[in-house]
Amino acid sequence: MDRKTMSSELLNSDSCNLHNASSDSLGSDSMSSSLTSKVGNENVEPAEAVPTVRPDDPPLLPGEKVQGVAREVTYVCPYSGPARGVLSVTNYKLHFRSLDRDTPYVIEVPLGVVNRVEKVGGQLSRGENSYGIEIFCKDMRNLKFGHKQENHSRRNVFEKLQQYAFPLSHKLPLFAFEYTERFPENGWNVYEPIAELKRMGVPNDMWKITKINENYTICDSYPPIWAVPSQVTEEDLRQVVQFRSRGRAPVLSWIHPESQATITRASQPLVGLGAKRSCEDEGYIQLIIEANAQSHKLFIMDARPSANAIANKAKGGGYEPEDTYQNAELIFLDIHNIHAMRESLRKLKELCFPNIDESKWLSGIESTYWLKYIKCILAGACRIVDKVENHKTSVLVHCSDGWDRTSQLTALAMLMLDPYYRTLKGFEVLIEKEWLSFGHKFHLRIGHGSDNHSDADRSPIFLQFIDCVWQVTQMFPNAFEFNEFFLINIIDHMYSCRFGTFLFNSDRERTNEGVKQKTVSLWSYLNSSIDLYRNPLYHPQPHVLEPIASMRYIQLWKGYYCRWNPSMRPQDPIYQRTRELLVLKEQLEKNQEDCRKELRSRISRSIGSPSRLVASPKH
Amino acid sequence: MNFIMSDTKTNNSFKSYIGLHDTNLSAHDISNDESFSEILLPKLLPGEMVVAEAHSVLLFTPVSDKKNGKLGVLVVTNFKLSFITAEEEQNTYYISYQRNMLLGPNDVSLSNVDVLYQISSKKRKLTPGSSVSDQVKGIFVLCKDMRALTFSFKLSPPGHGRKLTNALLHHGFPKQHHLLFPFEYTVPYYPGNHQVTMFRTAVDWEKELTRTASVGWRISTVNQNFRLSESSPQWLVVCSSILDKQLREAAPHFNGGRLPQWCWSSHSGAALVRMADVVSASDRIKDRKSLHYKVRMQENILLETVRKSHPRLTQPVVIELTKDMPSLRHIQVSFCKLRDLCVADNEKHFWEQDSQFYSSLESTRWLHYVGNCLLKAVNAASNLAKDITVVLQESDGRDISCVIASLTQIIMDPYFRTINGFQSLVQKEWVSMGHPFCIRLGHIYKSNTQQSPVWLLFLDCVWQLLQQYPLEFEFNQIYLTTLWDSSLIPIFETFIFDSEKERSEASSVSPVILRSVWDFGEQLPERDIASFSNPLYRESPKHLEVKSGVPCLHLWSQCYFRFLPILEIKGGGKPQVDLAIRELLLPPGSSVMSVESKQQIGSFYPFTHWNTRNSVNQNSLLLSTLSLNTTDDSQSIISFSCD
């Protein structure tokens, strides 16, 4: 492994070393590359898979092809100054390699993270590097390239960038459908809905599994398999579906193994201005209450601010009035909508990239509201956990449609309640279940492959969830089997479009498009080198986590939002050192085990002698 | 215990001793009190005496809207303010609390008391001399360690509250040094065999010169018996090229007679030097110009000798610490604002603070000042690394100089990142160089005080280094927090004097035992001392590259938030990392503690206050194993494998 490229922090500001390009998240994270170097990269060098490789071609993934190359390009790094080199565009990524530095300086950006591409300057622009291309990314950075002001030197690369960064706008396939790499594990098998329900003890006396939505006929954004109260009839369920926005009826997310208190999720009831009622929906909620013998009450957590919930009545939506839902208590969690979150992240990017105003850093963070929103979501999840765990009372969560804030809340609450979701596999299951199968609109929220960068449906809802998870991992450093790098990988590949996992808006769409058959799952990739993502401090803890949703603890995730800035890059020597210790410990344990075996075999050899009575090993 | 509360004689003698005008303070009232049936006695140290006590006092849980609390006896002694509650409850505390032998978890030393308020019809601040209301319903005690204690006398017998408040007001703010507790604390002291260099003898300085392989510097006896400078050490390490006569001539031109004093040398021979500013001429306007010329000349002569002490005669760099650094006042104001953020009256107040926490934290400037100090030290260190001698100059050279000189050496020299090294460093740069601990920590009350927690600012800087370099320090944050706490326990000579001169006088004139803080056995059991060690520590010779910008700094939550139970993460926080690593270091199969015990450990461990869990199983918490004393187990493995 070439470690030289890693040694110089400054040079390395935006890139990683060449060798790791295929194994780290986007070939750009310092932690990833240092990890890879330690553990060794088991993946085949992709460049070797493509025989017709030219010397300055970038390393390619299976299925990746170079589409355009521009020479004598200057990358204007905001931290280490301009670097001259070659810029290539493939159907997956943008690749820049410097030629004027001792240690080659490489930048790789999967085109999926590109939000928009703009030409800067014209033929007559003056000043160094004033003519070129600027790329605005979804992952908190912008890149600027300077081209020679002659022969339309940027034209080809610009066009290819447009095409392959926004393939759907140009009638091209997403890269995931062309990517052909094989992994030892098939990530599409990670989540089996029935197996996961069985793990929670469902079906049981109170809860049954229904295939009422088998062909997505009842609700097109829900999965085919639901767990519902066992008493409910199919007819009633069909009526309930009618009374919930987009047919998203209350179904089971999680059940407490001891108290049987549940978390169910839904969309808003279609109450409207006329205060419409549905006796089936009311009866159904009562069944959910009755399914928990420990409590005669249900908390309905409406994620929205109450004003928004009321305003939704005008659009036919609303919330459950307490007089008609008699044993339910409604709580508004005051989480703002997708537009507020998008705006907040935009401000955060302005604050973090490229340069930071140190003197106003803290008040600057506050003014973006990003952490305030994180706190609000965490506080909401904590309230759910408190009701379920400490009061043994079931909770129904919804917002308007039940696919944004609701997913954040149920997934976080489940993560705090159930240690299984804090394991690597369990966390993958959690995402598959609460986010993907329940129809969080990834395609719409991220804007995969589309050049419509100002689309009002885009919003960093899933990123916010991962941020919340990170906050909890900071408060409970040994409760999670996975590390920060795992989380960063998930977000990076949510944007990258290399894997099929986060494509499309619902289970139904993914099934119709044959995603499982035609693309690789992100979990195939991650699980094939799972050691990279292990938290060496992990110690399984059976108890419920109760994080503190206070700004005194919620911090900006610099390892993600500020990672492009070399001066902000956090070091994590504890992580490295603990890994080393862990390896030592494992060796020691192995030695000990060998000794035991040796001892046992000696004992068995001396069998028949009177020492037999004494020699029974006590461990 | 020697002194029980109903000892009339004690109280009488105390009256005259402190000059209480309230002659009603006697044991009579107390012994007649029938309302409190339980007899709860304060644990007293030898030499400690009860001054006043109030029965049936309520101590409220912080941020509980005065809805939760404990009932007990509140006692003022000549050493502490002690709240005594049912024994049983105390035991559960001790599980997650450092077992301090001088102070229990509900005790605060009188030196720790910063501001006292009486609660009658409204909250009013009390200062020595102000009168305590007859109607006093309770008191609010704001401590230097960011603890805020609210006591209510609602259930107390009439008169108890007022007497106690008066006693606290008189004893909590002593005006003279000899009223401090060490002058009463008679327990014999046997200095432990800690390997701290105290820098009280020429040999100690000699050793340090040898350790750093310094040339060009010599030890001068010119300040013997503090003739030249009252705040400097008796042994001055000065340039070899300068004569004692010249030193005597130059001294009056420097504030406090503080001449350029050697601190440390790099391997290449660049030195770190501290000196005071030259005397300003403002008070002698008459011959201002000529004087100014004269002092500047003296300064130049001395700086020239500093240059000559460099093996390659390189020109030194003078780093002025008066400029763009926080003043003592700034630091104190910043600290008070920071404390406001760590104290909340009620839950509503707490969450209001929370919603603006980031901007409020910014406006305290605390992290900004921490960053300033780190940046100065980074500058000094980078010069030293470039083989350039650095002279730190500050008006009196006794405050920020201590911070910067220490930090620079920690950055440059791995020895100072060991426990012994760090302690020797504090002896060298703080104790011997005369940081006025007594004034800065406010052990003595003065109306226009120069109280300023420079020491805490330094500990915070070191804590930041620990965050940035978690493998490079032999000690951990428990150690640093304990050091801060220790500085507020007026027992240790380290922290109750302003200079070495005062220390030596105190031990000769009025016999006081000079008890060093470095003998942690004086206050803590072995297992707690063992918990100071950083399990990840490994020796490494490298210079630290320190980040000093506010975005790279953190708030020291263990030290500042630990008295807010609402902020304790149960089963989480840094102690879990510590435990996990200690576990890794144990032989396979053994563990530090059971899983159930681990989840009882909160993020403020071992400074958990107000532990609300009552189901703690004491036996499961074998804290002694924290000491990593695992030789037995590992031995058994070895013998096993050799079988």
Side-chain angles (χ1 to χ4, degrees):
Chain A
M1 285 273 159
D2 177 12
R3 303 301 312 138
K4 271 185 191 163
T5 45
M6 291 312 302
S7 60
S8 159
E9 278 244 315
L10 269 179
L11 274 178
N12 199 31
S13 66
D14 276 358
S15 75
C16 72
N17 76 51
L18 274 169
H19 297 260
N20 293 327
S22 65
S23 70
D24 66 13
S25 83
L26 294 183
S28 51
D29 190 80
S30 65
M31 190 172 172
S32 70
S33 351
S34 52
L35 276 174
T36 322
S37 75
K38 199 143 238 126
V39 179
N41 183 354
E42 290 103 295
N43 295 332
V44 187
E45 288 278 327
E48 293 164 22
V50 183
T52 57
V53 73
R54 282 168 301 173
D56 51 351
D57 261 4
L60 298 173
L61 295 170
E64 188 181 2
K65 292 181 196 77
V66 176
Q67 305 293 338
V69 177
R71 285 164 215 287
E72 292 183 71
V73 173
T74 306
Y75 168 59
V76 188
C77 176
Y79 308 109
S80 66
R84 308 262 294 162
V86 181
L87 178 66
S88 322
V89 176
T90 74
N91 50 347
Y92 172 61
K93 65 173 176 270
L94 168 160
H95 180 95
F96 173 83
R97 189 167 195 274
S98 77
L99 300 171
D100 62 348
R101 300 195 183 186
D102 295 341
T103 43
Y105 175 70
V106 175
I107 299 166
E108 276 198 4
V109 184
L111 296 177
V113 313
V114 175
N115 199 28
R116 66 193 156 99
V117 187
E118 277 179 13
K119 290 179 179 170
V120 282
Q123 292 295 344
L124 300 170
S125 297
R126 292 189 175 194
E128 214 174 333
N129 302 320
S130 60
Y131 174 83
I133 298 173
E134 190 158 9
I135 297 159
F136 301 85
C137 299
K138 297 169 183 172
D139 64 353
M140 309 296 285
R141 60 178 159 168
N142 301 332
L143 305 158
K144 211 175 152 187
F145 294 97
H147 290 252
K148 287 205 300 183
Q149 268 163 309
E150 52 199 44
N151 305 331
H152 305 289
S153 67
R154 67 185 172 186
R155 185 188 281 166
N156 178 40
V157 165
F158 179 78
E159 277 168 11
K160 295 295 178 196
L161 269 175
Q162 285 281 356
Q163 280 175 21
Y164 290 96
F166 315 116
L168 299 184
S169 304
H170 294 86
K171 305 215 160 34
L172 289 166
L174 290 164
F175 177 68
F177 288 94
E178 301 187 79
Y179 176 52
T180 55
E181 192 166 352
R182 293 275 166 267
F183 294 96
E185 201 190 302
N186 184 359
W188 294 121
N189 298 332
V190 160
Y191 174 57
E192 299 282 353
I194 304 230
E196 170 58 10
L197 285 168
K198 279 214 174 112
R199 188 191 67 84
M200 295 193 291
V202 174
N204 57 23
D205 291 352
M206 293 303 186
W207 294 88
K208 67 178 178 189
I209 292 171
T210 171
K211 293 188 175 175
I212 192 169
N213 196 37
E214 197 161 14
N215 297 310
Y216 309 100
T217 45
I218 299 274
C219 173
D220 63 0
S221 60
Y222 258 19
I225 287 161
W226 305 357
V228 294
S230 48
Q231 300 296 312
V232 74
T233 64
E234 196 160 300
E235 294 86 89
D236 281 353
L237 198 51
R238 284 176 194 277
Q239 291 304 311
V240 171
V241 165
Q242 295 295 315
F243 192 65
R244 291 277 162 177
S245 175
R246 300 180 200 262
R248 295 169 66 90
V251 298
L252 183 78
S253 280
W254 190 77
I255 180 163
H256 195 288
E258 282 145 28
S259 73
Q260 306 284 297
T262 57
I263 296 176
T264 43
R265 60 181 291 170
S267 61
Q268 62 184 342
L270 297 173
V271 178
L273 290 171
K276 246 175 34 188
R277 288 180 61 173
S278 157
C279 55
E280 290 83 5
D281 194 73
E282 287 160 29
Y284 183 74
I285 298 295
Q286 188 57 36
L287 288 178
I288 293 176
I289 297 171
E290 282 162 15
N292 173 16
Q294 307 272 341
S295 172
H296 302 296
K297 219 179 153 182
L298 174 80
F299 286 96
I300 298 176
M301 302 277 186
D302 188 326
R304 300 166 291 185
S306 62
N308 297 23
I310 293 164
N312 257 289
K313 283 187 181 180
K315 295 184 231 161
Y319 51 89
E320 295 82 352
E322 281 178 16
D323 51 341
T324 53
Y325 292 82
Q326 284 196 342
N327 296 313
E329 187 181 327
L330 190 71
I331 296 172
F332 292 107
L333 295 179
D334 210 25
I335 302 168
H336 286 269
N337 62 22
I338 58 166
H339 310 296
M341 304 312 172
R342 181 179 58 239
E343 179 59 13
S344 174
L345 186 67
R346 189 191 62 76
K347 285 188 191 158
L348 187 64
K349 184 174 172 181
E350 265 176 22
L351 190 78
C352 295
F353 188 90
N355 292 309
I356 283 166
D357 176 4
E358 293 196 347
S359 64
K360 291 264 178 280
W361 173 247
L362 295 171
S363 53
I365 290 177
E366 189 172 286
S367 67
T368 68
Y369 292 136
W370 184 256
L371 296 186
K372 186 189 152 193
Y373 294 146
I374 296 282
K375 168 180 152 177
C376 206
I377 296 164
L378 275 175
C382 288
R383 286 182 86 163
I384 298 170
V385 170
D386 178 58
K387 297 300 178 206
V388 172
E389 175 70 19
N390 301 331
H391 297 88
K392 299 184 167 65
T393 307
S394 297
V395 176
L396 168 65
V397 186
H398 71 71
C399 47
S400 298
D401 288 320
W403 51 47
D404 293 311
R405 286 166 278 198
T406 300
S407 303
Q408 290 177 329
L409 290 166
T410 54
L412 275 173
M414 288 157 74
L415 185 82
M416 295 173 196
L417 284 162
D418 191 338
Y420 171 67
Y421 298 123
R422 296 174 222 143
T423 63
L424 278 154
K425 288 274 169 69
F427 191 67
E428 294 169 2
V429 167
L430 184 69
I431 290 174
E432 285 282 349
K433 179 177 153 72
E434 289 306 303
W435 287 90
L436 291 159
S437 87
F438 278 104
H440 172 69
K441 294 184 176 296
F442 279 98
H443 180 82
L444 220 53
R445 295 287 176 259
I446 307 303
H448 287 314
S450 154
D451 62 358
N452 185 10
H453 59 81
S454 56
D455 188 346
D457 276 327
R458 292 192 182 180
S459 189
I461 299 301
F462 184 75
L463 167 67
Q464 214 170 25
F465 162 71
I466 296 289
D467 192 330
C468 290
V469 173
W470 180 81
Q471 305 287 349
V472 183
T473 65
Q474 294 304 293
M475 290 187 223
F476 297 92
N478 59 346
F480 292 84
E481 193 188 8
F482 50 86
N483 58 28
E484 177 182 37
F485 181 47
F486 182 65
L487 297 177
I488 292 177
N489 257 275
I490 292 172
I491 307 171
D492 281 348
H493 287 298
M494 172 182 71
Y495 294 123
S496 79
C497 294
R498 175 171 157 193
F499 303 100
T501 303
F502 294 111
L503 302 185
F504 303 103
N505 288 319
S506 64
D507 232 27
R508 190 180 72 99
E509 286 182 23
R510 278 184 292 274
T511 308
N512 290 348
E513 299 290 337
V515 167
K516 280 193 182 185
Q517 293 75 38
K518 294 179 189 164
T519 71
V520 180
S521 161
L522 172 59
W523 317 128
S524 307
Y525 165 72
L526 293 178
N527 293 350
S528 299
S529 41
I530 206 133
D531 275 342
L532 293 176
Y533 310 114
R534 281 187 200 283
N535 170 13
L537 294 168
Y538 176 58
H539 199 291
Q541 287 162 43
H543 64 282
V544 171
L545 306 183
E546 292 177 63
I548 294 170
S550 160
M551 291 309 281
R552 283 140 164 120
Y553 286 133
I554 291 167
Q555 30 176 337
L556 187 73
W557 186 10
K558 283 181 268 184
Y560 178 75
Y561 301 105
C562 302
R563 62 183 156 153
W564 313 120
N565 186 338
S567 71
M568 293 290 287
R569 193 165 289 159
Q571 307 147 315
D572 197 354
I574 293 191
Y575 179 80
Q576 293 292 346
R577 178 83 174 121
T578 317
R579 274 185 73 110
E580 287 167 29
L581 288 173
L582 204 61
V583 171
L584 282 175
K585 178 112 179 179
E586 275 160 10
Q587 275 171 3
L588 203 59
E589 267 162 9
K590 198 179 160 293
N591 288 351
Q592 196 182 12
E593 191 48 44
D594 291 347
C595 291
R596 277 186 191 144
K597 277 186 195 147
E598 170 72 18
L599 191 68
R600 258 182 237 124
S601 69
R602 281 193 202 179
I603 290 163
S604 58
R605 255 181 273 138
S606 60
I607 214 155
S609 69
S611 71
R612 195 180 170 187
L613 277 173
V614 197
S616 62
K618 272 194 216 155
H619 29 269
Chain B
M1 285 296 148
N2 298 339
F3 296 98
I4 303 172
M5 40 209 167
S6 54
D7 190 332
T8 319
K9 231 172 136 190
T10 316
N11 281 331
N12 283 340
S13 70
F14 245 85
K15 243 188 296 176
S16 58
Y17 179 65
I18 51 155
L20 267 185
H21 6 262
D22 185 359
T23 44
N24 288 334
L25 183 82
S26 73
H28 185 68
D29 302 25
I30 299 161
S31 50
N32 279 354
D33 165 33
E34 306 292 323
S35 66
F36 202 76
S37 51
E38 261 182 287
I39 303 167
L40 296 171
L41 302 179
K43 276 190 181 174
L44 296 178
L45 297 169
E48 188 178 3
M49 290 171 280
V50 172
V51 184
E53 62 175 41
H55 288 184
S56 307
V57 176
L58 289 166
L59 169 59
F60 293 115
T61 315
V63 207
S64 71
D65 295 288
K66 300 196 174 65
K67 281 177 194 145
N68 292 312
K70 293 182 279 197
L71 187 66
V73 177
L74 186 60
V75 178
V76 174
T77 75
N78 53 345
F79 171 58
K80 65 180 180 252
L81 175 69
S82 180
F83 181 77
I84 309 128
T85 181
E87 199 69 27
E88 203 184 329
E89 205 185 358
Q90 293 245 348
N91 280 342
T92 57
Y93 275 127
Y94 274 93
I95 287 152
S96 31
Y97 197 79
Q98 198 182 52
R99 269 157 270 203
N100 196 301
M101 297 180 285
L102 304 172
L103 291 168
N106 284 323
D107 298 343
V108 291
S109 76
L110 295 181
S111 275
N112 191 358
V113 174
D114 200 22
V115 194
L116 175 62
Y117 293 89
Q118 67 170 6
I119 305 164
S120 47
S121 48
K122 58 183 180 197
K123 207 161 112 180
R124 188 164 65 87
K125 186 174 168 180
L126 294 173
T127 48
S130 50
S131 63
V132 178
S133 161
D134 293 336
Q135 309 300 319
V136 58
K137 288 178 193 150
I139 49 171
F140 177 73
V141 183
L142 197 51
C143 299
K144 292 163 189 165
D145 65 1
M146 309 220 166
R147 202 181 322 209
L149 299 165
T150 311
F151 296 102
S152 166
F153 303 127
K154 200 165 69 181
L155 306 176
S156 307
H160 277 210
R162 181 155 189 257
K163 268 173 224 151
L164 185 117
T165 311
N166 259 320
L168 183 58
L169 190 56
H170 287 275
H171 285 266
F173 303 91
K175 286 183 177 150
Q176 278 162 22
H177 206 246
H178 66 84
L179 297 177
L180 285 177
F181 184 63
F183 292 87
E184 305 292 329
Y185 187 44
T186 49
V187 171
Y189 170 59
Y190 308 102
N193 58 348
H194 59 71
Q195 292 153 333
V196 182
T197 314
M198 300 300 274
F199 292 94
R200 290 212 168 112
T201 61
V203 177
D204 287 347
W205 288 100
E206 195 72 62
K207 254 169 57 188
E208 185 69 354
L209 282 168
T210 316
R211 191 186 69 83
T212 55
S214 301
V215 286
W217 301 88
R218 69 178 178 93
I219 295 170
S220 163
T221 57
V222 73
N223 197 36
Q224 220 165 13
N225 299 321
F226 308 100
R227 278 176 305 208
L228 229 52
S229 165
E230 296 197 339
S231 63
S232 295
Q234 290 206 61
W235 312 97
L236 298 180
V237 180
V238 297
C239 310
S240 308
S241 60
I242 200 164
L243 302 171
D244 281 0
K245 181 170 158 285
Q246 285 174 290
L247 291 172
R248 267 185 228 108
E249 259 168 43
H253 301 294
F254 287 85
N255 289 334
R258 292 172 69 92
L259 296 160
Q261 158 88 348
W262 172 91
C263 305
W264 183 81
S265 291
S266 72
H267 293 306
S268 58
L272 182 65
V273 178
R274 288 170 65 167
M275 68 191 254
D277 253 332
V278 289
V279 175
S280 80
S282 57
D283 46 345
R284 282 190 266 166
I285 299 160
K286 209 176 144 195
D287 46 3
R288 197 177 185 164
K289 241 183 180 168
S290 65
L291 187 76
H292 184 75
Y293 176 75
K294 212 171 161 190
V295 295
R296 284 296 163 203
M297 204 176 70
Q298 284 294 341
E299 190 183 21
N300 286 336
I301 291 170
L302 290 181
L303 286 175
E304 176 59 16
T305 59
V306 170
R307 187 181 72 85
K308 282 187 189 153
S309 289
H310 193 285
R312 278 161 297 286
L313 307 179
T314 316
Q315 191 68 34
V317 164
V318 178
I319 297 183
E320 276 200 56
L321 299 181
T322 322
K323 271 195 227 155
D324 52 65
M325 290 299 279
S327 68
L328 293 170
R329 181 89 199 117
H330 284 147
I331 297 169
Q332 173 67 7
V333 168
S334 172
F335 168 77
C336 289
K337 284 187 183 167
L338 181 65
R339 183 170 58 190
D340 287 345
L341 281 179
C342 302
V343 171
D345 294 336
N346 50 49
E347 230 175 290
K348 187 167 168 274
H349 182 209
F350 177 87
W351 290 112
E352 276 167 8
Q353 287 174 332
D354 207 63
S355 63
Q356 289 153 27
F357 186 74
Y358 272 67
S359 53
S360 309
L361 180 61
E362 185 172 281
S363 62
T364 68
R365 314 273 297 154
W366 183 260
L367 288 181
H368 187 83
Y369 295 154
V370 168
N372 284 160
C373 293
L374 290 171
L375 185 62
K376 280 280 179 211
V378 167
N379 287 343
S382 68
N383 276 302
L384 288 166
K386 281 184 276 178
D387 196 20
I388 297 167
T389 289
V390 172
V391 180
L392 301 175
Q393 191 173 29
E394 187 196 2
S395 50
D396 282 329
R398 300 169 70 180
D399 289 296
I400 292 293
S401 306
C402 303
V403 179
I404 309 302
S406 314
L407 289 176
T408 308
Q409 291 171 70
I410 292 170
I411 291 170
M412 296 295 291
D413 189 340
Y415 169 64
F416 296 122
R417 296 173 222 145
T418 65
I419 290 178
N420 276 327
F422 183 79
Q423 294 177 165
S424 303
L425 183 70
V426 172
Q427 282 297 130
K428 183 167 72 163
E429 298 304 332
W430 293 78
V431 177
S432 89
M433 290 297 283
H435 174 67
F437 276 113
C438 184
I439 296 174
R440 297 291 176 254
L441 294 170
H443 288 305
I444 304 289
Y445 177 79
K446 287 205 175 91
S447 52
N448 61 340
T449 172
Q450 285 190 299
Q451 192 177 319
S452 178
V454 181
W455 170 240
L456 177 65
L457 185 67
F458 166 66
L459 293 176
D460 197 321
C461 291
V462 178
W463 183 83
Q464 305 288 345
L465 298 181
L466 246 68
Q467 305 316 298
Q468 294 181 24
Y469 288 95
L471 313 183
E472 312 295 332
F473 289 84
E474 195 187 6
F475 49 86
N476 57 16
Q477 64 164 345
I478 300 173
Y479 172 78
L480 294 175
T481 304
T482 306
L483 261 189
W484 168 235
D485 288 346
S486 305
S487 67
L488 300 174
I489 305 175
I491 293 258
F492 306 107
E493 53 94 357
T494 320
F495 300 117
I496 56 168
F497 295 103
D498 287 336
S499 65
E500 287 292 66
K501 181 168 187 260
E502 275 187 18
R503 283 184 191 88
S504 71
E505 279 173 2
S507 59
S508 54
V509 179
S510 52
V512 62
I513 298 164
L514 292 185
R515 213 176 293 271
S516 171
V517 72
W518 312 127
D519 278 307
F520 283 101
E522 292 288 306
Q523 52 168 326
L524 295 170
E526 197 51 50
R527 56 196 155 197
D528 279 311
I529 299 170
S531 75
F532 291 164
S533 72
N534 170 14
L536 282 172
Y537 174 66
R538 56 174 174 202
E539 247 176 282
S540 107
K542 72 172 168 196
H543 296 178
L544 307 182
E545 280 172 35
V546 175
K547 293 180 179 177
S548 61
V550 171
C552 297
L553 302 178
H554 295 273
L555 193 66
W556 187 4
S557 60
Q558 182 193 63
C559 189
Y560 302 144
F561 291 154
R562 61 194 153 133
F563 302 108
L564 287 174
I566 195 170
L567 279 175
E568 175 136 45
I569 307 167
K570 305 219 166 55
K574 283 202 189 342
Q576 298 290 339
V577 178
D578 201 78
L579 283 173
I581 292 160
R582 283 178 199 274
E583 204 127 280
L584 267 180
L585 294 170
L586 289 176
S590 49
S591 80
V592 172
M593 58 175 77
S594 69
V595 176
E596 304 85 67
S597 315
K598 253 189 239 166
Q599 65 188 76
Q600 305 279 1
I601 297 282
S603 56
F604 297 145
Y605 173 87
F607 302 101
T608 297
H609 281 258
W610 298 96
N611 194 340
T612 47
R613 285 166 201 264
N614 37 23
S615 60
V616 186
N617 178 7
Q618 208 172 352
N619 294 333
S620 64
L621 266 175
L622 292 169
L623 282 165
S624 52
T625 48
L626 275 177
S627 66
L628 291 180
N629 188 5
T630 57
T631 41
D632 290 357
D633 297 58
S634 40
Q635 218 105 66
S636 66
I637 285 170
I638 293 163
S639 58
F640 186 70
S641 53
C642 295
D643 190 354

